[in-house]
Amino acid sequence: MFLLLMRVRLQSAINSLRASLRLHPFWTVLLSLLGVGLFGGMFWLFVGLFYFATRLHALPEITYQVFYLLFLFLFAGSVPFIASTLLHSNDYSLLFHAPLRPRTIIASKLIDATVTSSLQFMVLGVPAI
């Protein structure tokens, strides 16, 4: 399930990149390079942090704190995803014509959004907890 979700996200990013390259090639390249540069900078910052933490013999505590804070950031980021899944779903017109109560439809959409969004922070949340 996780690999399928990652494949869908990657394909979505590729499709967005293709569409935006046709409309705004300069801004697309600039923002893509900025994003990759930001990722590389953060990566090397964490490498340096872990290097100094091992020299100070504080690596287990710092590793725990980093995983815990990243888990909280991803958890906070899943709230807008769930809200957008509930509020901006295009399949409500189809679902409300089914012989189900509206409460059941909203509950099933909430469970679906929760499971989908929990996969992204489960990788960090399990070690943090």
Side-chain angles (χ1 to χ4, degrees):
M1 180 72 179
F2 179 72
L3 292 177
L4 176 66
L5 180 65
M6 296 315 302
R7 214 174 354 180
V8 167
R9 299 287 182 197
L10 182 63
Q11 188 61 44
S12 173
I14 290 170
N15 289 341
S16 296
L17 185 64
R18 284 182 188 159
S20 61
L21 265 175
R22 278 185 246 129
L23 296 174
H24 307 288
F26 173 74
W27 291 110
T28 302
V29 170
L30 180 71
L31 290 175
S32 297
L33 290 175
L34 182 67
V36 170
L38 183 64
F39 174 78
M42 291 300 292
F43 174 77
W44 287 110
L45 178 75
F46 275 101
V47 167
L49 175 72
F50 286 141
Y51 173 72
F52 287 121
T54 30
R55 293 189 67 194
L56 297 173
H57 303 292
L59 188 61
E61 182 62 29
I62 289 179
T63 305
Y64 167 75
Q65 292 295 329
V66 167
F67 272 113
Y68 186 67
L69 290 175
L70 286 176
F71 168 70
L72 290 179
F73 282 133
L74 286 174
F75 185 68
S78 69
V79 172
F81 173 75
I82 291 175
S84 68
T85 300
L86 286 176
L87 299 176
H88 300 294
S89 183
N90 293 331
D91 57 352
Y92 278 131
S93 60
L94 177 67
L95 290 173
F96 284 139
H97 284 85
L100 297 171
R101 294 181 306 175
R103 178 182 289 172
T104 307
I105 293 170
I106 298 299
S108 66
K109 290 292 286 181
L110 183 61
I111 290 171
D112 176 47
T114 303
V115 169
T116 304
S117 69
S118 68
L119 290 175
Q120 67 181 340
F121 62 87
M122 182 179 72
V123 176
L124 292 172
V126 171
I129 291 173

mmCIF file of all heavy atoms in Angstrom, residues 96 98-106:
data_model
loop_
_atom_site.group_PDB
_atom_site.id
_atom_site.type_symbol
_atom_site.label_atom_id
_atom_site.label_comp_id
_atom_site.label_asym_id
_atom_site.label_seq_id
_atom_site.Cartn_x
_atom_site.Cartn_y
_atom_site.Cartn_z
ATOM 1 N N PHE A 96 -23.601 10.337 -2.421
ATOM 2 C CA PHE A 96 -24.870 10.691 -1.772
ATOM 3 C C PHE A 96 -26.077 10.113 -2.501
ATOM 4 O O PHE A 96 -27.176 10.113 -1.952
ATOM 5 C CB PHE A 96 -25.004 12.209 -1.634
ATOM 6 C CG PHE A 96 -24.160 12.779 -0.526
ATOM 7 C CD1 PHE A 96 -23.481 13.958 -0.700
ATOM 8 C CD2 PHE A 96 -24.048 12.123 0.689
ATOM 9 C CE1 PHE A 96 -22.706 14.481 0.313
ATOM 10 C CE2 PHE A 96 -23.278 12.646 1.716
ATOM 11 C CZ PHE A 96 -22.600 13.830 1.521
ATOM 12 N N ALA A 98 -26.053 6.970 -3.311
ATOM 13 C CA ALA A 98 -26.053 5.578 -2.857
ATOM 14 C C ALA A 98 -27.041 5.444 -1.697
ATOM 15 O O ALA A 98 -27.358 6.413 -1.010
ATOM 16 C CB ALA A 98 -24.652 5.180 -2.394
ATOM 17 N N PRO A 99 -27.539 4.232 -1.484
ATOM 18 C CA PRO A 99 -28.511 4.050 -0.391
ATOM 19 C C PRO A 99 -27.824 3.986 0.988
ATOM 20 O O PRO A 99 -27.966 3.020 1.736
ATOM 21 C CB PRO A 99 -29.182 2.719 -0.747
ATOM 22 C CG PRO A 99 -28.165 1.975 -1.518
ATOM 23 C CD PRO A 99 -27.382 3.014 -2.264
ATOM 24 N N LEU A 100 -27.076 5.020 1.298
ATOM 25 C CA LEU A 100 -26.392 5.112 2.585
ATOM 26 C C LEU A 100 -26.761 6.427 3.254
ATOM 27 O O LEU A 100 -27.091 7.409 2.586
ATOM 28 C CB LEU A 100 -24.872 5.056 2.385
ATOM 29 C CG LEU A 100 -24.295 3.783 1.790
ATOM 30 C CD1 LEU A 100 -22.827 3.985 1.461
ATOM 31 C CD2 LEU A 100 -24.458 2.627 2.754
ATOM 32 N N ARG A 101 -26.643 6.431 4.563
ATOM 33 C CA ARG A 101 -26.877 7.680 5.291
ATOM 34 C C ARG A 101 -25.677 8.608 5.084
ATOM 35 O O ARG A 101 -24.542 8.128 4.959
ATOM 36 C CB ARG A 101 -27.059 7.406 6.781
ATOM 37 C CG ARG A 101 -28.317 6.623 7.081
ATOM 38 C CD ARG A 101 -28.463 6.408 8.545
ATOM 39 N NE ARG A 101 -27.230 5.779 9.051
ATOM 40 C CZ ARG A 101 -26.994 5.535 10.314
ATOM 41 N NH1 ARG A 101 -27.870 5.865 11.222
ATOM 42 N NH2 ARG A 101 -25.871 4.965 10.694
ATOM 43 N N PRO A 102 -25.897 9.913 5.048
ATOM 44 C CA PRO A 102 -24.772 10.848 4.891
ATOM 45 C C PRO A 102 -23.717 10.687 5.983
ATOM 46 O O PRO A 102 -22.527 10.858 5.724
ATOM 47 C CB PRO A 102 -25.441 12.222 4.963
ATOM 48 C CG PRO A 102 -26.844 11.984 4.511
ATOM 49 C CD PRO A 102 -27.195 10.610 4.976
ATOM 50 N N ARG A 103 -24.133 10.356 7.196
ATOM 51 C CA ARG A 103 -23.181 10.159 8.286
ATOM 52 C C ARG A 103 -22.221 9.004 7.969
ATOM 53 O O ARG A 103 -21.028 9.081 8.244
ATOM 54 C CB ARG A 103 -23.946 9.872 9.573
ATOM 55 C CG ARG A 103 -23.031 9.596 10.740
ATOM 56 C CD ARG A 103 -23.808 9.277 11.977
ATOM 57 N NE ARG A 103 -24.443 10.497 12.448
ATOM 58 C CZ ARG A 103 -25.327 10.549 13.429
ATOM 59 N NH1 ARG A 103 -25.689 9.443 14.031
ATOM 60 N NH2 ARG A 103 -25.851 11.682 13.808
ATOM 61 N N THR A 104 -22.708 7.957 7.339
ATOM 62 C CA THR A 104 -21.876 6.815 6.974
ATOM 63 C C THR A 104 -20.876 7.196 5.885
ATOM 64 O O THR A 104 -19.717 6.784 5.919
ATOM 65 C CB THR A 104 -22.760 5.653 6.491
ATOM 66 O OG1 THR A 104 -23.751 5.390 7.478
ATOM 67 C CG2 THR A 104 -21.954 4.416 6.217
ATOM 68 N N ILE A 105 -21.323 7.987 4.931
ATOM 69 C CA ILE A 105 -20.437 8.411 3.839
ATOM 70 C C ILE A 105 -19.308 9.289 4.375
ATOM 71 O O ILE A 105 -18.137 9.074 4.047
ATOM 72 C CB ILE A 105 -21.249 9.145 2.755
ATOM 73 C CG1 ILE A 105 -22.202 8.169 2.079
ATOM 74 C CG2 ILE A 105 -20.336 9.805 1.736
ATOM 75 C CD1 ILE A 105 -23.202 8.814 1.170
ATOM 76 N N ILE A 106 -19.648 10.247 5.224
ATOM 77 C CA ILE A 106 -18.619 11.131 5.796
ATOM 78 C C ILE A 106 -17.661 10.327 6.671
ATOM 79 O O ILE A 106 -16.439 10.534 6.630
ATOM 80 C CB ILE A 106 -19.273 12.264 6.601
ATOM 81 C CG1 ILE A 106 -20.150 13.130 5.703
ATOM 82 C CG2 ILE A 106 -18.217 13.115 7.290
ATOM 83 C CD1 ILE A 106 -19.419 13.818 4.583
#
